[in-house]
Protein backbone atom coordinates (compact mmCIF):
# COMPACT_ATOMS: atom_id res chain seq x y z
CA UNK A 1 0.00 0.00 0.00
CA UNK A 2 2.88 2.37 0.79
CA UNK A 3 4.34 1.60 -2.64
CA UNK A 4 1.08 2.63 -4.34
CA UNK A 5 0.84 5.73 -2.15
CA UNK A 6 4.35 6.83 -3.12
CA UNK A 7 3.59 6.35 -6.82
CA UNK A 8 0.46 8.48 -6.39
CA UNK A 9 2.44 11.24 -4.66
CA UNK A 10 5.00 11.35 -7.50
CA UNK A 11 2.25 11.40 -10.14
CA UNK A 12 0.46 14.18 -8.25
CA UNK A 13 3.67 16.19 -8.03
CA UNK A 14 4.22 15.86 -11.78
CA UNK A 15 0.73 17.03 -12.70
CA UNK A 16 0.88 19.87 -10.17
CA UNK A 17 3.87 21.27 -12.02
CA UNK A 18 1.90 21.25 -15.25
CA UNK A 19 -1.23 22.70 -13.68
CA UNK A 20 0.86 25.43 -12.05
CA UNK A 21 1.52 26.86 -15.50
CA UNK A 22 -2.16 27.82 -15.70
CA UNK A 23 -3.13 28.47 -12.07
CA UNK A 24 -1.61 31.18 -9.87
CA UNK A 25 -2.38 29.43 -6.58
CA UNK A 26 -0.84 26.17 -7.74
CA UNK A 27 2.16 28.12 -9.01
CA UNK A 28 2.72 29.42 -5.48
CA UNK A 29 2.33 25.83 -4.20
CA UNK A 30 4.98 24.50 -6.59
CA UNK A 31 7.44 27.42 -6.65
CA UNK A 32 7.40 27.83 -2.88
CA UNK A 33 8.50 24.25 -2.38
CA UNK A 34 11.54 24.68 -4.61
CA UNK A 35 13.29 26.88 -2.05
CA UNK A 36 12.39 25.01 1.15
CA UNK A 37 15.71 23.27 1.68
CA UNK A 38 17.66 26.46 0.94
CA UNK A 39 15.55 28.25 3.56
CA UNK A 40 16.18 25.53 6.11
CA UNK A 41 19.93 25.41 5.44
CA UNK A 42 20.19 29.18 5.75
CA UNK A 43 18.18 29.51 8.98
CA UNK A 44 18.76 26.32 10.99
CA UNK A 45 22.22 25.40 12.27
CA UNK A 46 23.39 21.99 13.38
CA UNK A 47 23.34 22.99 17.04
CA UNK A 48 19.90 24.63 16.99
CA UNK A 49 17.14 23.14 19.11
CA UNK A 50 13.98 23.18 17.01
CA UNK A 51 10.28 22.80 17.80
CA UNK A 52 8.42 22.06 14.58
CA UNK A 53 4.74 22.93 14.08
CA UNK A 54 3.06 21.67 10.93
CA UNK A 55 -0.13 23.37 9.82
CA UNK A 56 -2.42 22.86 6.84
CA UNK A 57 -3.55 26.41 6.21
CA UNK A 58 -4.60 29.71 7.75
CA UNK A 59 -7.38 28.36 9.96
CA UNK A 60 -5.07 25.77 11.49
CA UNK A 61 -2.44 28.46 12.04
CA UNK A 62 -4.92 30.38 14.19
CA UNK A 63 -5.63 27.12 15.98
CA UNK A 64 -1.96 26.48 16.68
CA UNK A 65 -1.04 30.07 17.47
CA UNK A 66 -1.59 29.89 21.27
CA UNK A 67 0.77 26.92 21.45
CA UNK A 68 3.33 28.49 19.12
CA UNK A 69 3.41 31.65 21.22
CA UNK A 70 3.58 29.62 24.41
CA UNK A 71 6.47 27.51 23.09
CA UNK A 72 8.39 30.57 21.94
CA UNK A 73 8.02 32.21 25.33
CA UNK A 74 8.57 29.07 27.39
CA UNK A 75 11.60 27.81 25.44
CA UNK A 76 13.54 30.91 24.38
CA UNK A 77 16.61 28.79 23.58
CA UNK A 78 14.67 26.91 20.88
CA UNK A 79 13.86 27.90 17.33
CA UNK A 80 10.25 27.68 16.22
CA UNK A 81 9.70 26.26 12.72
CA UNK A 82 6.24 26.50 11.15
CA UNK A 83 5.48 24.63 7.94
CA UNK A 84 2.39 25.04 5.79
CA UNK A 85 0.79 22.79 3.22
CA UNK A 86 -1.40 25.43 1.55
CA UNK A 87 -0.45 28.73 -0.11
CA UNK A 88 -3.50 30.38 1.47
CA UNK A 89 -1.84 29.91 4.84
CA UNK A 90 1.80 30.40 3.90
CA UNK A 91 1.36 33.53 1.78
CA UNK A 92 -0.48 35.32 4.60
CA UNK A 93 1.75 34.19 7.47
CA UNK A 94 5.19 33.75 5.88
CA UNK A 95 6.50 36.82 7.74
CA UNK A 96 4.83 36.13 11.07
CA UNK A 97 7.04 37.18 14.00
CA UNK A 98 5.91 34.28 16.17
CA UNK A 99 8.16 31.82 14.32
CA UNK A 100 11.88 31.92 13.55
CA UNK A 101 11.43 30.02 10.27
CA UNK A 102 8.34 29.65 8.08
CA UNK A 103 8.23 27.55 4.92
CA UNK A 104 6.20 25.05 2.94
CA UNK A 105 6.28 21.36 3.75
CA UNK A 106 7.75 19.49 0.76
CA UNK A 107 5.53 16.84 -0.79
CA UNK A 108 5.29 13.62 1.20
CA UNK A 109 7.90 11.46 -0.47
CA UNK A 110 10.29 9.24 1.46
CA UNK A 111 13.32 11.19 0.22
CA UNK A 112 11.78 14.56 1.09
CA UNK A 113 10.85 13.37 4.57
CA UNK A 114 14.35 12.06 5.26
CA UNK A 115 16.04 15.17 3.88
CA UNK A 116 13.68 17.49 5.77
CA UNK A 117 14.26 15.84 9.15
CA UNK A 118 18.02 15.74 8.59
CA UNK A 119 17.95 19.49 7.93
CA UNK A 120 15.66 20.37 10.85
CA UNK A 121 16.49 17.75 13.52
CA UNK A 122 13.45 18.76 15.62
CA UNK A 123 13.30 17.96 19.29
CA UNK A 124 9.53 17.87 19.00
CA UNK A 125 7.02 17.75 16.11
CA UNK A 126 3.48 19.08 16.57
CA UNK A 127 0.77 18.55 13.97
CA UNK A 128 -2.30 20.79 14.28
CA UNK A 129 -5.77 19.25 13.85
CA UNK A 130 -4.92 16.84 11.03
CA UNK A 131 -2.40 16.45 8.18
CA UNK A 132 -1.39 12.80 8.37
CA UNK A 133 1.51 12.35 5.95
CA UNK A 134 2.70 8.69 6.07
CA UNK A 135 6.31 9.23 4.95
CA UNK A 136 6.93 12.10 7.34
CA UNK A 137 5.29 10.24 10.22
CA UNK A 138 7.28 7.10 9.44
CA UNK A 139 10.53 9.09 9.37
CA UNK A 140 9.68 10.77 12.70
CA UNK A 141 9.06 7.38 14.27
CA UNK A 142 12.33 5.93 12.94
CA UNK A 143 14.23 8.83 14.43
CA UNK A 144 12.32 8.57 17.74
CA UNK A 145 11.28 12.22 17.58
CA UNK A 146 8.37 12.96 19.98
CA UNK A 147 5.29 13.79 17.94
CA UNK A 148 1.94 15.23 19.05
CA UNK A 149 -1.41 15.86 17.42
CA UNK A 150 -3.17 18.87 18.94
CA UNK A 151 -6.77 20.01 18.52
CA UNK A 152 -7.31 16.77 16.65
CA UNK A 153 -10.74 15.79 15.44
CA UNK A 154 -11.70 12.40 14.07
CA UNK A 155 -14.86 11.23 12.30
CA UNK A 156 -16.21 7.79 11.47
CA UNK A 157 -15.93 8.34 7.73
CA UNK A 158 -12.13 8.69 7.86
CA UNK A 159 -10.04 5.86 6.44
CA UNK A 160 -8.54 5.02 9.85
CA UNK A 161 -11.83 3.49 10.96
CA UNK A 162 -12.55 1.25 7.97
CA UNK A 163 -11.25 -2.14 6.86
CA UNK A 164 -9.16 -0.54 4.13
CA UNK A 165 -7.49 1.89 6.53
CA UNK A 166 -4.72 -0.28 8.00
CA UNK A 167 -2.11 1.68 6.03
CA UNK A 168 -3.26 4.96 7.55
CA UNK A 169 -3.76 3.46 11.03
CA UNK A 170 -0.10 2.52 11.01
CA UNK A 171 0.78 6.20 10.57
CA UNK A 172 -1.04 7.02 13.80
CA UNK A 173 1.44 4.87 15.72
CA UNK A 174 3.95 7.71 15.37
CA UNK A 175 2.09 10.01 17.75
CA UNK A 176 3.17 9.98 21.39
CA UNK A 177 -0.12 11.58 22.33
CA UNK A 178 -3.36 12.77 20.77
CA UNK A 179 -4.96 15.92 22.19
CA UNK A 180 -8.43 15.84 20.68
CA UNK A 181 -11.33 18.26 20.60
CA UNK A 182 -14.14 16.01 21.75
CA UNK A 183 -15.10 12.75 23.41
CA UNK A 184 -16.25 11.13 20.15
CA UNK A 185 -12.74 11.53 18.69
CA UNK A 186 -11.27 9.91 21.78
CA UNK A 187 -13.67 6.96 21.55
CA UNK A 188 -12.94 6.43 17.86
CA UNK A 189 -9.19 6.28 18.55
CA UNK A 190 -9.68 3.94 21.49
CA UNK A 191 -11.78 1.65 19.32
CA UNK A 192 -8.78 1.05 17.02
CA UNK A 193 -6.35 0.61 19.90
CA UNK A 194 -5.04 4.09 20.71
CA UNK A 195 -5.41 4.89 24.40
CA UNK A 196 -2.87 7.71 24.45
CA UNK A 197 -5.56 10.37 24.08
CA UNK A 198 -6.74 13.39 26.06
CA UNK A 199 -9.87 15.44 25.43
CA UNK A 200 -8.30 18.87 25.80
CA UNK A 201 -10.71 20.80 23.59
CA UNK A 202 -9.94 23.17 20.77
CA UNK A 203 -7.04 25.62 21.07
CA UNK A 204 -9.02 28.06 18.90
CA UNK A 205 -10.94 29.01 22.05
CA UNK A 206 -7.66 30.06 23.66
CA UNK A 207 -6.73 31.92 20.50
CA UNK A 208 -9.92 33.95 20.33
CA UNK A 209 -10.00 34.59 24.07
CA UNK A 210 -6.56 36.17 23.78
CA UNK A 211 -7.99 38.62 21.23
CA UNK A 212 -9.81 40.40 24.04
CA UNK A 213 -6.50 41.24 25.72
CA UNK A 214 -4.94 42.81 22.62
CA UNK A 215 -5.22 46.32 21.29
CA UNK A 216 -8.08 46.15 18.79
CA UNK A 217 -8.20 49.88 18.14
CA UNK A 218 -8.67 51.08 14.57
CA UNK A 219 -8.89 54.87 14.75
CA UNK A 220 -10.42 55.24 11.29
CA UNK A 221 -13.30 52.98 12.28
CA UNK A 222 -14.02 55.07 15.33
CA UNK A 223 -14.56 57.95 12.93
CA UNK A 224 -16.73 55.86 10.63
CA UNK A 225 -18.95 54.25 13.28
CA UNK A 226 -19.29 57.19 15.67
CA UNK A 227 -22.26 56.72 18.00
CA UNK A 228 -24.15 54.49 15.59
CA UNK A 229 -24.96 50.81 15.72
CA UNK A 230 -22.59 48.77 13.57
CA UNK A 231 -23.22 45.67 11.47
CA UNK A 232 -20.06 43.83 10.38
CA UNK A 233 -20.11 41.14 7.69
CA UNK A 234 -16.83 39.22 7.60
CA UNK A 235 -15.35 36.78 5.08
CA UNK A 236 -18.34 37.12 2.77
CA UNK A 237 -18.87 35.41 -0.58
CA UNK A 238 -21.27 36.53 -3.32
CA UNK A 239 -24.02 34.25 -1.97
CA UNK A 240 -23.75 35.99 1.43
CA UNK A 241 -23.53 39.44 -0.10
CA UNK A 242 -26.85 39.04 -1.90
CA UNK A 243 -28.62 38.94 1.46
CA UNK A 244 -26.63 41.77 2.94
CA UNK A 245 -26.78 44.14 -0.04
CA UNK A 246 -30.51 43.60 -0.42
CA UNK A 247 -31.02 44.58 3.22
CA UNK A 248 -28.74 47.61 3.00
CA UNK A 249 -30.47 48.92 -0.11
CA UNK A 250 -33.92 48.65 1.53
CA UNK A 251 -32.86 49.95 4.95
CA UNK A 252 -34.27 53.35 5.94
CA UNK A 253 -32.66 53.51 9.39
CA UNK A 254 -30.33 56.40 10.11
CA UNK A 255 -28.41 55.03 13.09
CA UNK A 256 -26.60 52.02 11.67
CA UNK A 257 -23.33 51.70 9.81
CA UNK A 258 -22.35 48.72 7.68
CA UNK A 259 -18.91 47.19 7.27
CA UNK A 260 -18.33 44.44 4.70
CA UNK A 261 -15.04 42.54 4.64
CA UNK A 262 -15.23 40.18 1.62
CA UNK A 263 -13.25 36.97 1.51
CA UNK A 264 -11.96 37.93 -1.94
CA UNK A 265 -10.43 41.40 -2.22
CA UNK A 266 -9.60 41.40 -5.93
CA UNK A 267 -10.40 44.84 -7.41
CA UNK A 268 -12.97 43.44 -9.86
CA UNK A 269 -14.88 41.71 -7.06
CA UNK A 270 -14.76 44.77 -4.83
CA UNK A 271 -15.97 47.01 -7.65
CA UNK A 272 -18.88 44.70 -8.44
CA UNK A 273 -19.92 44.65 -4.78
CA UNK A 274 -19.70 48.43 -4.56
CA UNK A 275 -21.80 48.93 -7.69
CA UNK A 276 -24.59 46.80 -6.22
CA UNK A 277 -24.88 48.98 -3.11
CA UNK A 278 -27.12 52.02 -3.46
CA UNK A 279 -26.02 53.80 -0.31
CA UNK A 280 -22.92 55.96 0.10
CA UNK A 281 -20.00 53.55 0.07
CA UNK A 282 -16.30 54.02 0.79
CA UNK A 283 -13.37 51.61 0.50
CA UNK A 284 -10.61 51.00 3.00
CA UNK A 285 -8.12 52.05 0.33
CA UNK A 286 -9.86 55.45 0.10
CA UNK A 287 -10.06 56.18 3.80
CA UNK A 288 -7.28 58.78 3.80
CA UNK A 289 -8.84 60.74 0.94
CA UNK A 290 -12.38 61.13 2.28
CA UNK A 291 -14.33 62.00 5.40
CA UNK A 292 -15.52 58.46 6.03
CA UNK A 293 -17.99 59.50 8.72
CA UNK A 294 -20.19 60.77 5.87
CA UNK A 295 -20.62 57.26 4.44
CA UNK A 296 -23.07 54.47 5.27
CA UNK A 297 -21.10 51.45 4.05
CA UNK A 298 -17.40 50.68 4.49
CA UNK A 299 -15.92 47.96 2.25
CA UNK A 300 -12.66 46.46 3.47
CA UNK A 301 -10.52 45.87 0.38
CA UNK A 302 -7.55 44.58 2.35
CA UNK A 303 -6.76 41.60 4.59
CA UNK A 304 -5.47 41.10 8.10
CA UNK A 305 -7.68 43.44 10.15
CA UNK A 306 -11.02 41.61 10.32
CA UNK A 307 -10.54 40.47 13.92
CA UNK A 308 -10.09 44.07 15.07
CA UNK A 309 -13.05 45.17 12.97
CA UNK A 310 -15.31 42.73 14.82
CA UNK A 311 -14.60 44.62 18.04
CA UNK A 312 -16.67 47.52 16.63
CA UNK A 313 -19.68 45.35 15.77
CA UNK A 314 -23.08 45.44 17.41
CA UNK A 315 -24.04 42.39 15.33
CA UNK A 316 -21.83 40.28 13.06
CA UNK A 317 -22.45 38.12 10.03
CA UNK A 318 -19.89 35.41 9.15
CA UNK A 319 -19.73 34.34 5.53
CA UNK A 320 -19.41 31.02 3.76
CA UNK A 321 -22.64 29.47 4.98
CA UNK A 322 -24.92 30.54 2.17
CA UNK A 323 -22.88 28.73 -0.46
CA UNK A 324 -20.71 25.61 -0.51
CA UNK A 325 -17.31 27.19 0.22
CA UNK A 326 -17.48 26.45 3.95
CA UNK A 327 -18.36 28.57 6.94
CA UNK A 328 -15.63 30.88 8.18
CA UNK A 329 -14.54 31.50 11.76
CA UNK A 330 -17.54 32.28 13.95
CA UNK A 331 -15.57 32.39 17.20
CA UNK A 332 -13.70 35.59 16.35
CA UNK A 333 -16.80 37.79 16.46
CA UNK A 334 -18.48 35.68 19.17
CA UNK A 335 -15.71 36.39 21.67
CA UNK A 336 -16.74 40.05 21.72
CA UNK A 337 -20.10 39.09 23.23
CA UNK A 338 -22.24 39.94 20.20
CA UNK A 339 -24.84 37.95 18.25
CA UNK A 340 -23.62 36.25 15.08
CA UNK A 341 -25.71 35.52 11.98
CA UNK A 342 -24.68 32.82 9.50
CA UNK A 343 -26.08 31.15 6.40
CA UNK A 344 -27.89 27.84 6.19
CA UNK A 345 -24.93 25.52 5.51
CA UNK A 346 -23.16 25.05 8.83
CA UNK A 347 -23.44 21.32 9.46
CA UNK A 348 -20.09 19.83 10.40
CA UNK A 349 -18.85 23.09 11.92
CA UNK A 350 -19.07 21.92 15.50
CA UNK A 351 -18.89 25.22 17.35
CA UNK A 352 -21.44 26.76 14.99
CA UNK A 353 -23.82 23.85 15.56
CA UNK A 354 -23.44 24.21 19.31
CA UNK A 355 -23.93 27.96 19.31
CA UNK A 356 -26.97 27.74 17.04
CA UNK A 357 -28.47 25.32 19.56
CA UNK A 358 -27.65 27.73 22.39
CA UNK A 359 -29.05 30.73 20.54
CA UNK A 360 -25.88 32.80 20.27
CA UNK A 361 -25.62 32.17 16.52
CA UNK A 362 -28.66 32.57 14.30
CA UNK A 363 -28.85 30.74 10.96
CA UNK A 364 -30.80 32.15 8.00
CA UNK A 365 -31.69 30.64 4.63
CA UNK A 366 -33.28 33.48 2.67
CA UNK A 367 -33.23 37.24 2.25
CA UNK A 368 -36.48 37.41 4.19
CA UNK A 369 -35.09 35.42 7.12
CA UNK A 370 -31.95 37.53 7.18
CA UNK A 371 -33.97 40.75 7.18
CA UNK A 372 -36.35 39.64 9.94
CA UNK A 373 -33.50 38.26 12.09
CA UNK A 374 -31.42 41.41 11.83
CA UNK A 375 -34.43 43.66 12.43
CA UNK A 376 -35.44 41.65 15.50
CA UNK A 377 -31.99 41.99 17.05
CA UNK A 378 -31.80 45.70 16.29
CA UNK A 379 -35.24 46.33 17.76
CA UNK A 380 -34.96 44.08 20.83
CA UNK A 381 -31.96 45.05 22.91
CA UNK A 382 -32.52 42.36 25.54
CA UNK A 383 -32.46 39.57 22.93
CA UNK A 384 -29.40 41.13 21.29
CA UNK A 385 -27.60 41.22 24.64
CA UNK A 386 -28.64 37.69 25.64
CA UNK A 387 -27.44 36.18 22.35
CA UNK A 388 -24.09 37.92 22.70
CA UNK A 389 -23.64 36.74 26.28
CA UNK A 390 -24.35 33.15 25.26
CA UNK A 391 -21.48 33.37 22.78
CA UNK A 392 -19.13 34.88 25.32
CA UNK A 393 -19.99 32.28 27.98
CA UNK A 394 -19.50 29.44 25.50
CA UNK A 395 -15.96 30.57 24.74
CA UNK A 396 -15.10 31.05 28.41
CA UNK A 397 -16.35 27.54 29.15
CA UNK A 398 -14.27 25.91 26.42
CA UNK A 399 -10.92 27.70 26.73
CA UNK A 400 -7.91 26.17 28.45
CA UNK A 401 -6.64 23.54 25.99
CA UNK A 402 -3.24 25.23 25.69
CA UNK A 403 -2.64 24.78 29.42
CA UNK A 404 -3.04 21.00 29.26
CA UNK A 405 -0.99 20.67 26.09
CA UNK A 406 1.65 23.13 27.29
CA UNK A 407 2.19 21.09 30.46
CA UNK A 408 2.74 17.93 28.40
CA UNK A 409 5.18 19.71 26.06
CA UNK A 410 7.17 21.01 28.99
CA UNK A 411 7.51 17.50 30.42
CA UNK A 412 8.78 16.25 27.05
CA UNK A 413 11.40 18.95 26.57
CA UNK A 414 12.74 19.52 30.06
Amino acid sequence: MLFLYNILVYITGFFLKIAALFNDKLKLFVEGRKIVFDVLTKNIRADDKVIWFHIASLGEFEQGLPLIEQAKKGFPDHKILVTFFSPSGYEVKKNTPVAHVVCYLPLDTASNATRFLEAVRPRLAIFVKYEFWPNYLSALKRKSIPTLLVSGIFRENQAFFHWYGSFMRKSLQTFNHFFVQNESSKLLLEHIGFGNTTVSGDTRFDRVEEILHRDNTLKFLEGFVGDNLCFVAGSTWPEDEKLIVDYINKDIKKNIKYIIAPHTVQPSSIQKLRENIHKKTVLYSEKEEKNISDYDVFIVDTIGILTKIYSYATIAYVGGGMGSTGLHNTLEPAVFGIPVIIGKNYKGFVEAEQLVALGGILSVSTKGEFSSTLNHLLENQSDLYDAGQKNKAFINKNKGAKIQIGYYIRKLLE
Side-chain angles (χ1 to χ4, degrees):
M1 196 66 166
L2 181 61
F3 176 73
L4 293 176
Y5 171 81
N6 285 331
I7 290 176
L8 180 62
V9 172
Y10 278 108
I11 292 173
T12 301
F14 173 76
F15 281 107
L16 281 172
K17 290 176 182 178
I18 296 174
L21 299 173
F22 310 98
N23 183 289
D24 289 340
K25 188 172 181 178
L26 288 179
K27 183 177 181 180
L28 291 171
F29 183 96
V30 171
E31 294 297 320
R33 282 170 165 78
K34 291 180 179 179
I35 63 170
V36 167
F37 292 109
D38 289 336
V39 170
L40 295 176
T41 301
K42 180 179 178 181
N43 291 283
I44 296 178
R45 303 190 307 268
D47 59 343
D48 282 335
K49 294 184 286 186
V50 177
I51 301 174
W52 169 33
F53 288 85
H54 177 59
I55 288 159
S57 192
L58 190 57
E60 291 72 34
F61 176 83
E62 295 298 329
Q63 218 158 11
L65 186 57
L67 296 173
I68 297 170
E69 292 176 331
Q70 185 173 254
K72 187 176 182 181
K73 182 178 180 180
F75 301 94
D77 59 333
H78 286 59
K79 279 190 173 179
I80 305 298
L81 166 67
V82 173
T83 59
F84 283 94
F85 179 79
S86 167
S88 58
Y90 173 78
E91 293 301 324
V92 176
K93 294 297 179 181
K94 59 187 175 183
N95 296 316
T96 177
V98 301
H100 299 95
V101 187
V102 181
C103 64
Y104 283 102
L105 184 71
L107 288 179
D108 186 36
T109 67
S111 59
N112 278 345
T114 299
R115 186 179 175 189
F116 180 88
L117 292 181
E118 287 176 352
V120 175
R121 299 172 300 280
R123 291 192 66 200
L124 173 64
I126 300 173
F127 288 66
V128 179
K129 193 175 181 179
Y130 38 58
E131 290 284 281
F132 304 103
W133 298 112
N135 284 310
Y136 279 99
L137 291 173
S138 177
L140 285 163
K141 188 173 179 63
R142 286 197 305 272
K143 291 180 177 293
S144 300
I145 296 169
T147 304
L148 306 178
L149 181 72
V150 300
S151 288
I153 191 160
F154 291 88
R155 298 184 176 90
E156 288 184 4
N157 61 356
Q158 290 174 296
F160 309 113
F161 311 111
H162 295 274
W163 63 268
Y164 53 82
S166 59
F167 165 61
M168 292 303 295
R169 283 196 294 273
K170 185 175 181 181
S171 296
L172 296 182
Q173 295 173 4
T174 300
F175 292 97
N176 295 67
H177 205 85
F178 300 89
F179 290 95
V180 295
Q181 294 186 28
N182 52 37
E183 188 68 27
S184 62
S185 294
K186 183 175 188 289
L187 292 174
L188 283 169
L189 286 171
E190 288 178 347
H191 184 69
I192 58 173
F194 293 94
N196 51 333
T197 61
T198 298
V199 180
S200 59
D202 190 342
T203 48
R204 283 184 303 165
F205 290 101
D206 297 287
R207 163 72 180 110
V208 296
E209 198 274 336
E210 289 172 356
I211 292 171
L212 294 177
H213 307 294
R214 300 180 182 185
D215 182 6
N216 292 303
T217 303
L218 294 170
K219 288 291 185 182
F220 63 89
L221 279 190
E222 293 179 5
F224 172 73
V225 176
D227 296 326
N228 297 285
L229 300 173
C230 181
F231 173 82
V232 174
S235 302
T236 58
W237 292 81
E239 297 90 345
D240 306 295
E241 290 158 8
K242 288 178 182 178
L243 306 183
I244 298 161
V245 171
D246 181 73
Y247 183 91
I248 292 172
N249 289 340
K250 293 178 180 178
D251 181 33
I252 58 172
K253 300 179 181 68
K254 301 295 183 183
N255 66 332
I256 182 167
K257 298 279 188 161
Y258 300 93
I259 301 173
I260 305 176
H263 176 77
T264 301
V265 294
Q266 293 177 350
S268 59
S269 300
I270 295 294
Q271 183 60 29
K272 184 176 180 180
L273 173 60
R274 185 180 200 172
E275 289 173 353
N276 288 333
I277 298 172
H278 301 161
K279 292 185 181 290
K280 294 183 66 177
T281 303
V282 65
L283 305 183
Y284 171 88
S285 58
E286 301 170 337
K287 70 182 188 304
E288 306 301 335
E289 306 165 14
K290 300 181 180 181
N291 183 2
I292 61 174
S293 63
D294 293 337
Y295 291 82
D296 304 304
V297 183
F298 188 100
I299 297 178
V300 185
D301 56 342
T302 188
I303 60 173
I305 59 172
L306 178 57
T307 301
K308 291 187 175 184
I309 291 173
Y310 281 135
S311 71
Y312 290 86
T314 309
I315 301 167
Y317 178 97
V318 173
M322 281 306 295
S324 58
T325 53
L327 184 65
H328 289 273
N329 192 333
T330 54
L331 295 179
E332 287 188 350
V335 75
F336 291 106
I338 58 173
V340 177
I341 302 173
I342 61 173
K344 57 188 176 181
N345 300 318
Y346 62 90
K347 298 302 180 184
F349 295 86
V350 178
E351 69 281 355
E353 292 179 346
Q354 293 172 327
L355 282 170
V356 167
L358 289 170
I361 289 181
L362 300 104
S363 173
V364 299
S365 299
T366 65
K367 291 178 181 179
E369 285 185 12
F370 174 78
S371 179
S372 61
T373 299
L374 184 51
N375 283 337
H376 178 82
L377 291 172
L378 292 171
E379 294 164 6
N380 295 271
Q381 289 297 305
S382 61
D383 289 350
L384 184 149
Y385 176 80
D386 288 345
Q389 289 304 300
K390 287 172 182 175
N391 286 337
K392 191 170 186 178
F394 178 76
I395 290 171
N396 284 333
K397 179 182 177 181
N398 286 282
K399 66 183 182 182
K402 75 170 186 178
I403 297 173
Q404 278 185 295
I405 300 169
Y407 178 72
Y408 189 94
I409 290 173
R410 186 162 291 280
K411 285 198 302 180
L412 279 177
L413 295 180
E414 286 185 340

